[in-house]
Amino acid sequence: MRTSEINRETSETSIHIVLNLDGSGNGEFDSGIPFLNHMLDQIARHAMFDFKVLAKGDLEIDAHHTVEDVGIAFGQVLSKSLGNKVGITRFGHAYAPLDEALSRTVVDISGRPGLEFRCNWTRPIVGGFDLDLINEFFQGFVNHAFITLHIENLYGNNAHHQCESIFKSFARALKVAVSIDLNNPHIPSTKGIL
């Protein structure tokens, strides 16, 4: 089982994450931010990860530190769970709709952090949640997971649907990228490392 656990403590946040890449889609989320919990649940269910996130942050200021630090800790625990990366598929891509919204994600577990995030939100706030923080979540994630990630909302009229389709496409693409390729018992790189 490719399972890891991490605790990340700063003066702004306290985060505990447990991740099992070979799980069955079970999630437990308590970030103090209901919309973030809802998006994290999309990752668990659609990537089929067992995923637990407990976070306490300085929400009296705003949600920025908590959202970004959950992304950072998620990147750290994913990298730890992948270990030496022998036999992983490495690349993954997926489209996911939610009603009128459609998003696409492409993942490369490259050993190099990079994010291309493209979404023109139809409104800036959903359920009191500032959608600018979605970019911060994914930036923190790629910086600490050491992966290249391209995310694009192709279209949508409802900002909640745009965001949820992004998380669903991300989960499905990540599921493929971390999966074990039984035909390749090597690190999937001509460099010999990722």
Side-chain angles (χ1 to χ4, degrees), residues 79-146:
S79 181
K80 189 175 176 183
S81 296
L82 285 169
N84 63 12
K85 302 179 186 76
V86 169
I88 64 167
T89 300
R90 178 179 167 177
F91 300 100
H93 66 276
Y95 287 81
L98 179 56
D99 295 343
E100 87 299 339
L102 180 66
S103 296
R104 170 180 57 211
T105 299
V106 181
V107 174
D108 177 9
I109 301 174
S110 60
R112 297 179 305 278
L115 175 65
E116 288 293 328
F117 185 86
R118 298 179 187 177
C119 180
N120 294 314
W121 303 113
T122 58
R123 60 188 160 116
I125 305 289
V126 172
F129 183 88
D130 179 357
L131 290 172
D132 282 346
L133 297 180
I134 298 300
N135 188 83
E136 299 302 322
F137 172 85
F138 284 115
Q139 189 66 65
F141 171 74
V142 300
N143 286 347
H144 293 268
F146 301 101

Side-chain angles (χ1 to χ4, degrees), residues 142-157:
V142 300
N143 286 347
H144 293 268
F146 301 101
I147 70 169
T148 301
L149 184 61
H150 292 253
I151 296 176
E152 187 173 13
N153 173 247
L154 302 173
Y155 46 80
N157 299 322

Side-chain angles (χ1 to χ4, degrees), residues 2 21 81-91 107-111 147 174-189 194:
R2 296 177 298 161
L21 298 179
S81 296
L82 285 169
N84 63 12
K85 302 179 186 76
V86 169
I88 64 167
T89 300
R90 178 179 167 177
F91 300 100
V107 174
D108 177 9
I109 301 174
S110 60
I147 70 169
L174 189 59
K175 175 184 179 181
V176 173
V178 304
S179 67
I180 298 298
D181 181 350
L182 298 176
N183 295 317
N184 183 11
H186 307 289
I187 293 175
S189 171
L194 288 173

Side-chain angles (χ1 to χ4, degrees), residues 33 36 58-59 61-68 128-130 133:
I33 306 168
L36 178 61
D58 53 2
L59 297 180
I61 295 173
D62 71 7
H64 185 108
H65 297 143
T66 302
V67 174
E68 181 179 34
F129 183 88
D130 179 357
L133 297 180

